Coordinates of all heavy atoms in Angstrom, one line a residue:
M1 N 0.8 -1.2 0.0 CA 0.0 0.0 0.0 C 0.9 1.3 0.0 O 0.6 2.2 -0.7 CB -0.9 0.0 1.2 CG -1.9 1.1 1.3 SD -3.1 0.9 0.0 CE -4.2 2.2 0.4
Q2 N 1.9 1.2 0.7 CA 2.8 2.4 0.8 C 3.5 2.7 -0.5 O 3.7 3.8 -0.9 CB 3.8 2.2 1.9 CG 4.5 3.5 2.3 CD 5.3 3.4 3.5 OE1 5.5 2.3 4.1 NE2 5.8 4.5 4.0
I3 N 3.8 1.6 -1.3 CA 4.4 1.8 -2.6 C 3.5 2.5 -3.5 O 3.9 3.4 -4.3 CB 4.9 0.4 -3.2 CG1 5.9 -0.2 -2.3 CG2 5.3 0.6 -4.6 CD1 6.3 -1.6 -2.7
K4 N 2.2 2.2 -3.5 CA 1.2 2.8 -4.4 C 1.1 4.3 -4.1 O 1.0 5.1 -5.0 CB -0.2 2.2 -4.3 CG -0.2 0.8 -4.9 CD -1.6 0.2 -4.7 CE -1.6 -1.2 -5.3 NZ -3.0 -1.8 -5.1
C5 N 1.1 4.6 -2.8 CA 1.0 6.0 -2.4 C 2.2 6.8 -2.8 O 2.1 8.0 -3.3 CB 0.8 6.2 -0.9 SG -0.7 5.6 -0.3
T6 N 3.4 6.2 -2.8 CA 4.6 6.9 -3.2 C 4.6 7.1 -4.7 O 5.0 8.1 -5.2 CB 5.8 6.0 -2.8 OG1 5.8 5.8 -1.3 CG2 7.1 6.7 -3.1
V7 N 4.2 6.1 -5.4 CA 4.1 6.2 -6.9 C 3.1 7.3 -7.3 O 3.4 8.1 -8.1 CB 3.8 4.9 -7.5 CG1 3.5 5.0 -9.0 CG2 4.9 3.9 -7.3
A8 N 2.0 7.3 -6.6 CA 0.9 8.3 -6.9 C 1.4 9.7 -6.5 O 1.2 10.6 -7.2 CB -0.4 7.9 -6.2
G9 N 2.1 9.7 -5.4 CA 2.6 11.0 -4.9 C 3.7 11.6 -5.9 O 3.7 12.8 -6.2
S10 N 4.5 10.7 -6.4 CA 5.6 11.1 -7.3 C 5.0 11.5 -8.6 O 5.4 12.5 -9.2 CB 6.5 9.9 -7.6 OG 7.2 9.5 -6.4
A11 N 3.9 10.8 -9.1 CA 3.3 11.2 -10.3 C 2.6 12.6 -10.2 O 2.7 13.4 -11.1 CB 2.2 10.1 -10.7
L12 N 2.0 12.8 -9.1 CA 1.4 14.1 -8.8 C 2.4 15.2 -8.8 O 2.2 16.3 -9.4 CB 0.6 14.1 -7.5 CG -0.9 13.7 -7.6 CD1 -1.5 13.5 -6.3 CD2 -1.7 14.6 -8.5
L13 N 3.5 14.9 -8.1 CA 4.6 15.9 -8.0 C 5.2 16.2 -9.4 O 5.4 17.4 -9.8 CB 5.7 15.4 -7.1 CG 6.9 16.4 -6.9 CD1 6.4 17.7 -6.3 CD2 7.9 15.7 -6.0
C14 N 5.4 15.2 -10.2 CA 5.9 15.4 -11.6 C 4.9 16.2 -12.4 O 5.3 17.1 -13.2 CB 6.1 14.0 -12.3 SG 7.6 13.2 -11.6
L15 N 3.6 15.9 -12.3 CA 2.6 16.7 -13.1 C 2.6 18.1 -12.6 O 2.5 19.0 -13.5 CB 1.2 16.1 -12.9 CG 0.9 14.8 -13.6 CD1 -0.4 14.2 -13.2 CD2 0.9 15.1 -15.1
F16 N 2.7 18.4 -11.4 CA 2.7 19.7 -10.8 C 3.9 20.5 -11.3 O 3.8 21.6 -11.8 CB 2.7 19.7 -9.3 CG 2.8 21.1 -8.7 CD1 1.8 22.0 -8.8 CD2 4.0 21.5 -8.1 CE1 1.9 23.3 -8.2 CE2 4.1 22.8 -7.6 CZ 3.1 23.7 -7.6
L17 N 5.1 19.9 -11.2 CA 6.3 20.5 -11.7 C 6.3 20.7 -13.2 O 6.8 21.8 -13.7 CB 7.6 19.7 -11.3 CG 7.9 19.7 -9.8 CD1 9.0 18.7 -9.5 CD2 8.2 21.0 -9.3
G18 N 5.8 19.8 -13.9 CA 5.7 19.9 -15.4 C 4.8 21.1 -15.8 O 5.1 21.9 -16.6
G19 N 3.7 21.2 -15.1 CA 2.8 22.3 -15.3 C 3.4 23.7 -15.0 O 3.2 24.7 -15.7
A20 N 4.2 23.7 -13.9 CA 4.8 24.9 -13.4 C 5.9 25.4 -14.4 O 6.0 26.5 -14.8 CB 5.4 24.8 -12.1
V21 N 6.6 24.4 -14.9 CA 7.7 24.7 -15.9 C 7.1 25.2 -17.2 O 7.5 26.2 -17.8 CB 8.6 23.5 -16.1 CG1 9.5 23.7 -17.3 CG2 9.4 23.3 -14.9
C22 N 6.1 24.5 -17.7 CA 5.4 24.9 -19.0 C 4.7 26.3 -18.8 O 4.7 27.0 -19.8 CB 4.4 23.9 -19.4 SG 5.2 22.3 -19.9
G23 N 4.2 26.5 -17.7 CA 3.4 27.8 -17.5 C 4.4 29.0 -17.3 O 4.0 30.1 -17.6
C24 N 5.6 28.7 -16.9 CA 6.6 29.8 -16.7 C 7.4 30.2 -17.9 O 8.1 31.2 -17.9 CB 7.5 29.5 -15.5 SG 6.6 29.4 -14.0
T25 N 7.4 29.3 -18.9 CA 8.3 29.6 -20.1 C 7.6 30.7 -20.9 O 6.4 30.7 -21.1 CB 8.4 28.3 -21.0 OG1 7.2 27.8 -21.3 CG2 9.2 27.3 -20.2
P26 N 8.4 31.6 -21.4 CA 7.8 32.7 -22.3 C 7.2 32.1 -23.5 O 7.8 31.2 -24.2 CB 9.0 33.6 -22.6 CG 10.2 32.8 -22.3 CD 9.8 31.7 -21.3
Q27 N 6.0 32.6 -23.9 CA 5.4 32.2 -25.1 C 6.0 32.9 -26.3 O 6.2 34.1 -26.3 CB 3.9 32.5 -25.0 CG 3.2 31.8 -23.9 CD 3.2 30.3 -24.0 OE1 3.1 29.7 -25.1 NE2 3.4 29.6 -22.9
Q28 N 6.3 32.1 -27.3 CA 6.8 32.7 -28.6 C 5.7 33.3 -29.4 O 4.7 32.6 -29.7 CB 7.6 31.6 -29.4 CG 8.8 31.1 -28.6 CD 9.9 32.1 -28.5 OE1 10.0 33.0 -29.4 NE2 10.6 32.1 -27.4
R29 N 5.8 34.6 -29.7 CA 4.8 35.2 -30.6 C 5.5 35.6 -31.9 O 6.7 36.1 -31.9 CB 4.3 36.4 -29.9 CG 3.4 36.1 -28.7 CD 2.8 37.4 -28.2 NE 1.9 37.9 -29.2 CZ 1.2 39.0 -29.1 NH1 1.2 39.7 -27.9 NH2 0.4 39.4 -30.0
P30 N 4.9 35.4 -33.0 CA 5.5 35.8 -34.3 C 5.6 37.4 -34.3 O 4.8 38.0 -33.6 CB 4.6 35.3 -35.3 CG 3.3 35.1 -34.6 CD 3.6 34.8 -33.2
P31 N 6.6 37.9 -34.9 CA 6.7 39.4 -35.0 C 5.5 40.0 -35.7 O 4.9 39.3 -36.6 CB 8.0 39.6 -35.8 CG 8.3 38.3 -36.5 CD 7.6 37.2 -35.7
L32 N 5.2 41.2 -35.3 CA 4.1 41.9 -35.9 C 4.4 42.3 -37.3 O 5.5 42.7 -37.6 CB 3.7 43.1 -35.1 CG 3.2 42.9 -33.7 CD1 3.0 44.2 -33.0 CD2 1.8 42.1 -33.8
S33 N 3.4 42.2 -38.2 CA 3.6 42.6 -39.6 C 3.6 44.2 -39.6 O 3.3 44.8 -38.6 CB 2.4 42.1 -40.5 OG 1.2 42.8 -40.1
F34 N 4.0 44.7 -40.7 CA 4.1 46.2 -40.9 C 2.7 46.7 -40.7 O 2.5 47.8 -40.0 CB 4.6 46.5 -42.3 CG 4.7 48.0 -42.5 CD1 5.6 48.8 -41.9 CD2 3.7 48.6 -43.3 CE1 5.6 50.2 -42.1 CE2 3.7 50.0 -43.5 CZ 4.7 50.8 -42.9
D35 N 1.7 46.1 -41.3 CA 0.3 46.6 -41.1 C -0.2 46.6 -39.7 O -0.8 47.5 -39.2 CB -0.7 45.8 -42.0 CG -0.5 46.0 -43.5 OD1 0.0 47.1 -43.8 OD2 -0.9 45.2 -44.3
D36 N 0.2 45.5 -38.9 CA -0.2 45.5 -37.5 C 0.5 46.5 -36.7 O 0.0 47.1 -35.8 CB 0.1 44.1 -37.0 CG -0.8 43.0 -37.5 OD1 -1.9 43.4 -38.1 OD2 -0.5 41.8 -37.3
Q37 N 1.8 46.8 -37.0 CA 2.5 47.9 -36.4 C 1.9 49.2 -36.6 O 1.8 50.1 -35.7 CB 4.0 47.9 -36.8 CG 4.8 46.7 -36.3 CD 6.2 46.7 -36.8 OE1 6.7 47.7 -37.4 NE2 6.9 45.6 -36.7
Q38 N 1.5 49.4 -37.9 CA 0.8 50.7 -38.2 C -0.6 50.8 -37.5 O -0.9 51.9 -37.0 CB 0.6 50.7 -39.7 CG 1.8 50.9 -40.5 CD 2.6 52.1 -40.2 OE1 3.4 52.2 -39.4 NE2 2.3 53.2 -41.0
A39 N -1.3 49.7 -37.3 CA -2.6 49.7 -36.6 C -2.4 50.0 -35.2 O -3.2 50.7 -34.6 CB -3.3 48.3 -36.8
L40 N -1.3 49.5 -34.5 CA -1.0 49.8 -33.1 C -0.7 51.3 -33.0 O -1.1 51.9 -32.0 CB 0.1 48.9 -32.6 CG -0.3 47.5 -32.4 CD1 0.9 46.6 -32.0 CD2 -1.4 47.3 -31.4
A41 N 0.1 51.8 -33.9 CA 0.4 53.3 -33.9 C -0.8 54.1 -34.0 O -1.0 55.1 -33.3 CB 1.5 53.6 -34.9
A42 N -1.7 53.7 -34.9 CA -3.0 54.4 -35.1 C -3.8 54.3 -33.9 O -4.5 55.3 -33.5 CB -3.7 53.8 -36.3
N43 N -3.8 53.1 -33.2 CA -4.6 53.0 -32.0 C -4.1 53.9 -30.9 O -4.9 54.6 -30.3 CB -4.4 51.5 -31.5 CG -5.1 51.3 -30.1 OD1 -6.2 51.5 -30.0 ND2 -4.3 50.9 -29.2
R44 N -2.8 54.1 -30.7 CA -2.3 55.0 -29.7 C -2.7 56.4 -30.0 O -3.2 57.2 -29.2 CB -0.8 54.9 -29.7 CG -0.2 53.8 -28.9 CD 1.3 53.9 -28.6 NE 2.0 53.8 -29.9 CZ 2.4 52.7 -30.5 NH1 2.1 51.5 -29.9 NH2 3.1 52.7 -31.6
Q45 N -2.6 56.8 -31.3 CA -2.9 58.2 -31.7 C -4.4 58.4 -31.5 O -4.8 59.5 -31.0 CB -2.5 58.5 -33.1 CG -2.8 59.9 -33.5 CD -2.2 60.3 -34.8 OE1 -1.3 59.6 -35.3 NE2 -2.7 61.3 -35.4
C46 N -5.2 57.5 -32.0 CA -6.7 57.7 -31.9 C -7.2 57.7 -30.4 O -8.1 58.4 -30.1 CB -7.4 56.6 -32.7 SG -7.1 56.8 -34.5
R47 N -6.6 56.8 -29.6 CA -7.0 56.9 -28.2 C -6.7 58.2 -27.6 O -7.5 58.8 -26.8 CB -6.2 55.8 -27.4 CG -6.8 54.4 -27.7 CD -6.0 53.3 -26.9 NE -6.4 53.4 -25.5 CZ -7.3 52.7 -24.9 NH1 -8.1 51.9 -25.6 NH2 -7.6 52.8 -23.6
D48 N -5.5 58.8 -27.9 CA -5.1 60.1 -27.3 C -6.1 61.2 -27.9 O -6.5 62.0 -27.1 CB -3.7 60.4 -27.7 CG -2.6 59.6 -27.0 OD1 -3.0 58.9 -26.0 OD2 -1.5 59.6 -27.5
E49 N -6.3 61.1 -29.2 CA -7.2 62.2 -29.7 C -8.6 62.1 -29.2 O -9.2 63.1 -28.8 CB -7.3 62.0 -31.2 CG -6.0 62.5 -32.0 CD -6.1 62.4 -33.5 OE1 -7.3 62.3 -34.0 OE2 -5.1 62.3 -34.1
A50 N -9.2 60.8 -29.1 CA -10.5 60.6 -28.5 C -10.6 61.1 -27.1 O -11.6 61.7 -26.7 CB -10.9 59.2 -28.7
S51 N -9.5 60.9 -26.3 CA -9.5 61.3 -24.9 C -9.5 62.8 -24.8 O -10.1 63.4 -23.9 CB -8.4 60.6 -24.2 OG -8.5 59.2 -24.2
Q52 N -8.7 63.4 -25.7 CA -8.6 64.9 -25.6 C -9.9 65.5 -26.1 O -10.3 66.6 -25.5 CB -7.5 65.4 -26.5 CG -6.1 65.0 -26.0 CD -5.0 65.3 -27.0 OE1 -5.3 65.9 -28.1 NE2 -3.8 65.0 -26.6
M53 N -10.6 64.9 -27.0 CA -11.9 65.5 -27.5 C -13.0 65.4 -26.5 O -14.0 66.1 -26.5 CB -12.3 64.8 -28.8 CG -11.3 65.1 -30.0 SD -11.3 66.8 -30.5 CE -13.0 66.9 -31.2
N54 N -12.9 64.4 -25.6 CA -14.0 64.1 -24.7 C -13.5 64.2 -23.3 O -13.1 63.2 -22.7 CB -14.6 62.7 -24.9 CG -15.2 62.6 -26.3 OD1 -16.2 63.1 -26.6 ND2 -14.5 62.0 -27.2
S55 N -13.5 65.4 -22.7 CA -13.0 65.6 -21.4 C -13.7 64.9 -20.3 O -13.2 64.7 -19.2 CB -12.9 67.1 -21.1 OG -14.2 67.7 -21.1
E56 N -15.0 64.5 -20.5 CA -15.8 63.8 -19.5 C -15.5 62.3 -19.5 O -15.9 61.6 -18.6 CB -17.3 63.9 -19.8 CG -17.8 65.3 -19.8 CD -17.7 65.9 -21.2 OE1 -17.8 65.2 -22.2 OE2 -17.6 67.2 -21.3
W57 N -14.7 61.8 -20.4 CA -14.4 60.4 -20.5 C -13.6 60.0 -19.3 O -12.7 60.6 -18.8 CB -13.6 60.1 -21.8 CG -13.2 58.7 -22.0 CD1 -14.1 57.7 -22.2 CD2 -11.9 58.1 -21.9 NE1 -13.4 56.5 -22.4 CE2 -12.1 56.7 -22.2 CE3 -10.7 58.6 -21.7 CZ2 -11.0 55.8 -22.2 CZ3 -9.6 57.7 -21.7 CH2 -9.8 56.3 -22.0
R58 N -14.0 58.8 -18.7 CA -13.4 58.3 -17.5 C -12.8 56.9 -17.7 O -12.6 56.2 -16.8 CB -14.4 58.2 -16.4 CG -15.0 59.6 -16.0 CD -14.0 60.4 -15.3 NE -14.5 61.7 -14.9 CZ -14.2 62.9 -15.4 NH1 -13.4 62.9 -16.4 NH2 -14.8 64.0 -15.0
G59 N -12.4 56.5 -18.9 CA -11.7 55.3 -19.1 C -12.6 54.2 -19.7 O -12.1 53.1 -20.0
D60 N -13.9 54.4 -19.8 CA -14.8 53.4 -20.3 C -14.8 53.5 -21.9 O -15.3 54.5 -22.4 CB -16.2 53.5 -19.7 CG -17.1 52.5 -20.2 OD1 -16.7 51.5 -20.8 OD2 -18.4 52.7 -20.0
T61 N -14.3 52.5 -22.6 CA -14.2 52.6 -24.0 C -15.6 52.4 -24.7 O -15.7 52.6 -25.9 CB -13.3 51.6 -24.6 OG1 -13.7 50.3 -24.2 CG2 -11.8 51.8 -24.2
S62 N -16.6 52.1 -23.9 CA -18.0 52.1 -24.5 C -18.7 53.4 -24.5 O -19.8 53.5 -25.0 CB -18.8 51.0 -23.9 OG -19.0 51.3 -22.5
Y63 N -18.1 54.4 -23.8 CA -18.7 55.8 -23.7 C -18.9 56.3 -25.2 O -17.9 56.4 -25.9 CB -17.8 56.7 -22.9 CG -18.2 58.1 -22.8 CD1 -19.4 58.4 -22.1 CD2 -17.4 59.1 -23.2 CE1 -19.7 59.7 -21.9 CE2 -17.8 60.4 -23.1 CZ -18.9 60.7 -22.4 OH -19.3 62.0 -22.3
F64 N -20.2 56.6 -25.5 CA -20.5 56.8 -26.9 C -19.7 57.9 -27.6 O -19.1 57.6 -28.7 CB -22.0 57.2 -27.1 CG -22.4 57.5 -28.5 CD1 -22.4 56.5 -29.4 CD2 -22.6 58.8 -28.9 CE1 -22.7 56.8 -30.8 CE2 -22.9 59.1 -30.2 CZ -22.9 58.1 -31.1
P65 N -19.5 59.1 -27.1 CA -18.7 60.1 -27.8 C -17.3 59.7 -28.0 O -16.7 59.9 -29.1 CB -18.8 61.4 -26.9 CG -20.0 61.2 -26.1 CD -20.2 59.7 -25.9
W66 N -16.7 59.1 -27.0 CA -15.3 58.6 -27.1 C -15.2 57.5 -28.2 O -14.4 57.6 -29.1 CB -14.8 58.1 -25.8 CG -13.4 57.7 -25.8 CD1 -12.4 58.6 -25.4 CD2 -12.7 56.5 -26.2 NE1 -11.1 57.9 -25.5 CE2 -11.3 56.7 -26.0 CE3 -13.2 55.3 -26.7 CZ2 -10.4 55.7 -26.3 CZ3 -12.3 54.3 -27.0 CH2 -10.9 54.5 -26.8
R67 N -16.1 56.5 -28.1 CA -16.1 55.4 -29.1 C -16.4 55.9 -30.5 O -15.7 55.4 -31.4 CB -17.2 54.4 -28.7 CG -17.4 53.3 -29.7 CD -16.2 52.5 -30.0 NE -15.8 51.7 -28.9 CZ -14.7 51.0 -28.9 NH1 -13.9 50.9 -29.9 NH2 -14.3 50.3 -27.8
A68 N -17.3 56.9 -30.7 CA -17.6 57.4 -32.0 C -16.3 58.1 -32.6 O -16.0 57.8 -33.8 CB -18.7 58.3 -32.0
Y69 N -15.7 58.9 -31.8 CA -14.5 59.6 -32.3 C -13.4 58.6 -32.6 O -12.7 58.6 -33.6 CB -14.0 60.6 -31.4 CG -12.9 61.5 -32.0 CD1 -13.2 62.6 -32.8 CD2 -11.6 61.1 -31.9 CE1 -12.2 63.4 -33.4 CE2 -10.6 61.9 -32.5 CZ -10.9 63.0 -33.3 OH -10.0 63.7 -33.9
Y70 N -13.2 57.6 -31.7 CA -12.1 56.6 -31.9 C -12.4 55.8 -33.2 O -11.5 55.6 -34.0 CB -12.1 55.6 -30.7 CG -11.2 54.5 -30.8 CD1 -9.8 54.6 -30.5 CD2 -11.6 53.2 -31.2 CE1 -8.9 53.6 -30.6 CE2 -10.7 52.2 -31.3 CZ -9.4 52.3 -31.0 OH -8.5 51.3 -31.2
N71 N -13.6 55.3 -33.4 CA -13.9 54.6 -34.6 C -13.7 55.4 -35.9 O -13.1 54.9 -36.9 CB -15.4 54.1 -34.6 CG -15.6 53.0 -33.6 OD1 -14.6 52.3 -33.2 ND2 -16.8 52.7 -33.2
M72 N -14.1 56.7 -35.8 CA -13.9 57.6 -37.0 C -12.4 57.7 -37.3 O -11.9 57.6 -38.4 CB -14.5 58.9 -36.7 CG -14.3 59.9 -37.9 SD -14.8 61.6 -37.5 CE -13.4 62.0 -36.3
C73 N -11.6 57.9 -36.2 CA -10.2 58.0 -36.4 C -9.5 56.8 -36.9 O -8.7 56.8 -37.8 CB -9.6 58.4 -35.0 SG -7.8 58.7 -35.0
M74 N -9.9 55.6 -36.4 CA -9.4 54.4 -36.9 C -9.7 54.1 -38.4 O -8.9 53.6 -39.2 CB -9.8 53.2 -36.1 CG -9.2 53.2 -34.7 SD -7.4 53.2 -34.6 CE -7.2 51.4 -34.7
R75 N -10.9 54.5 -38.8 CA -11.3 54.4 -40.2 C -10.5 55.3 -41.1 O -10.1 55.0 -42.2 CB -12.8 54.8 -40.4 CG -13.8 53.9 -39.6 CD -14.0 52.5 -40.3 NE -14.9 51.7 -39.5 CZ -14.6 51.0 -38.5 NH1 -13.3 50.9 -38.1 NH2 -15.4 50.2 -37.8
R76 N -10.2 56.5 -40.5 CA -9.3 57.4 -41.2 C -7.9 56.8 -41.5 O -7.4 57.1 -42.6 CB -9.2 58.7 -40.4 CG -8.5 59.8 -41.1 CD -8.4 61.1 -40.3 NE -7.5 60.9 -39.2 CZ -7.6 61.4 -38.0 NH1 -8.7 62.1 -37.7 NH2 -6.7 61.1 -37.1
F77 N -7.4 56.0 -40.6 CA -6.2 55.3 -40.8 C -6.3 54.0 -41.5 O -5.4 53.3 -41.7 CB -5.5 55.1 -39.5 CG -4.8 56.3 -38.9 CD1 -5.4 56.9 -37.8 CD2 -3.7 56.9 -39.4 CE1 -4.8 58.0 -37.2 CE2 -3.1 58.0 -38.9 CZ -3.7 58.6 -37.8
E78 N -7.6 53.7 -42.0 CA -7.9 52.5 -42.7 C -7.5 51.2 -42.0 O -7.0 50.3 -42.6 CB -7.2 52.5 -44.1 CG -7.7 53.7 -44.9 CD -7.0 53.8 -46.3 OE1 -6.1 52.9 -46.6 OE2 -7.3 54.7 -47.0
V79 N -7.8 51.2 -40.7 CA -7.6 50.0 -39.9 C -8.9 49.2 -40.0 O -10.0 49.7 -39.7 CB -7.3 50.3 -38.4 CG1 -7.2 49.1 -37.6 CG2 -6.0 51.1 -38.4
S80 N -8.8 47.9 -40.4 CA -10.0 47.1 -40.6 C -10.5 46.6 -39.2 O -9.8 46.5 -38.3 CB -9.7 46.0 -41.5 OG -8.9 45.0 -40.9
D81 N -11.8 46.2 -39.2 CA -12.4 45.6 -38.1 C -11.7 44.3 -37.7 O -11.5 43.9 -36.6 CB -13.9 45.3 -38.3 CG -14.7 46.6 -38.3 OD1 -14.3 47.6 -37.7 OD2 -15.8 46.6 -38.9
E82 N -11.3 43.5 -38.7 CA -10.5 42.3 -38.5 C -9.2 42.5 -37.8 O -8.9 41.8 -36.9 CB -10.3 41.6 -39.9 CG -9.8 40.2 -39.8 CD -8.3 40.1 -39.7 OE1 -7.6 40.9 -40.3 OE2 -7.8 39.2 -38.9
Q83 N -8.5 43.6 -38.2 CA -7.3 43.9 -37.5 C -7.5 44.3 -36.0 O -6.8 43.9 -35.1 CB -6.6 45.1 -38.1 CG -5.7 44.7 -39.4 CD -5.1 45.9 -39.9 OE1 -5.7 46.9 -40.3 NE2 -3.8 45.9 -40.0
L84 N -8.6 45.1 -35.8 CA -9.0 45.4 -34.4 C -9.2 44.2 -33.6 O -8.8 44.1 -32.4 CB -10.2 46.3 -34.4 CG -10.1 47.7 -35.0 CD1 -11.4 48.4 -35.1 CD2 -9.1 48.6 -34.1
R85 N -9.9 43.2 -34.1 CA -10.2 42.0 -33.4 C -8.9 41.2 -33.1 O -8.7 40.7 -32.0 CB -11.2 41.1 -34.1 CG -12.7 41.6 -33.9 CD -13.6 40.6 -34.5 NE -13.5 40.4 -35.9 CZ -14.0 41.1 -36.9 NH1 -14.7 42.1 -36.6 NH2 -13.8 40.8 -38.1
R86 N -8.1 41.1 -34.2 CA -6.9 40.2 -34.1 C -5.9 40.8 -33.1 O -5.3 40.1 -32.3 CB -6.3 40.1 -35.4 CG -5.1 39.2 -35.5 CD -4.7 38.8 -36.9 NE -5.0 39.7 -37.9 CZ -4.2 40.7 -38.3 NH1 -3.1 40.9 -37.8 NH2 -4.6 41.4 -39.3
L87 N -5.8 42.2 -33.0 CA -4.9 42.8 -32.1 C -5.5 43.1 -30.8 O -4.9 43.6 -29.9 CB -4.4 44.1 -32.7 CG -3.6 43.9 -34.0 CD1 -3.3 45.3 -34.7 CD2 -2.3 43.2 -33.7
R88 N -6.8 42.8 -30.6 CA -7.6 43.0 -29.4 C -7.6 44.4 -29.0 O -7.3 44.8 -27.8 CB -7.0 42.1 -28.3 CG -7.2 40.6 -28.5 CD -6.8 39.8 -27.4 NE -6.9 38.4 -27.7 CZ -5.9 37.5 -27.7 NH1 -4.7 37.9 -27.4 NH2 -6.1 36.3 -28.0
L89 N -7.8 45.3 -29.9 CA -7.9 46.7 -29.6 C -9.3 47.1 -29.2 O -10.3 46.4 -29.6 CB -7.5 47.5 -30.9 CG -6.1 47.3 -31.3 CD1 -5.8 48.1 -32.6 CD2 -5.1 47.6 -30.2
P90 N -9.5 48.1 -28.5 CA -10.9 48.5 -28.0 C -11.9 48.7 -29.1 O -11.6 49.0 -30.1 CB -10.7 49.7 -27.1 CG -9.4 50.2 -27.4 CD -8.6 49.2 -28.1

């Protein structure tokens, strides 16, 4: 009986350590394409502009005037909805 507990305990310890090692390793991400880099730059600029235009904005990206200006700005930079979703932009 004691041998089974030791084997089971060792197996659990190995699983735990394996999960910890895999969870701590940095995830490799492919480099961003030129278009994605441009979309991120447009995002920074549009967020700044939208925040300056709407002084009542308190950080909620669903606030209508902020969102409307942000969307208009991103369209001006020709950033597609698919890019917004892929880059997880607001």
Side-chain angles (χ1 to χ4, degrees):
M1 183 71 172
Q2 193 168 8
I3 295 172
K4 289 181 183 178
C5 292
T6 305
V7 171
S10 296
L12 273 172
L13 181 61
C14 287
L15 285 174
F16 175 74
L17 291 175
V21 168
C22 289
C24 294
T25 58
Q27 300 296 324
Q28 295 292 329
R29 292 185 63 178
L32 293 175
S33 69
F34 178 76
D35 289 338
D36 290 345
Q37 291 176 14
Q38 294 295 90
L40 290 175
N43 174 59
R44 281 190 296 275
Q45 182 171 342
C46 291
R47 286 180 73 90
D48 290 345
E49 287 181 21
S51 298
Q52 290 172 2
M53 294 293 291
N54 298 286
S55 59
E56 301 90 26
W57 182 68
R58 299 287 181 251
D60 179 15
T61 58
S62 64
Y63 178 63
F64 177 73
W66 188 93
R67 172 57 68 184
Y69 189 88
Y70 175 83
N71 288 341
M72 180 192 69
C73 182
M74 292 300 275
R75 299 285 179 272
R76 187 177 72 216
F77 284 108
E78 298 177 1
V79 177
S80 69
D81 290 336
E82 190 273 326
Q83 279 181 302
L84 291 172
R85 281 190 300 276
R86 188 166 22 91
L87 296 172
R88 295 186 181 117
L89 300 177

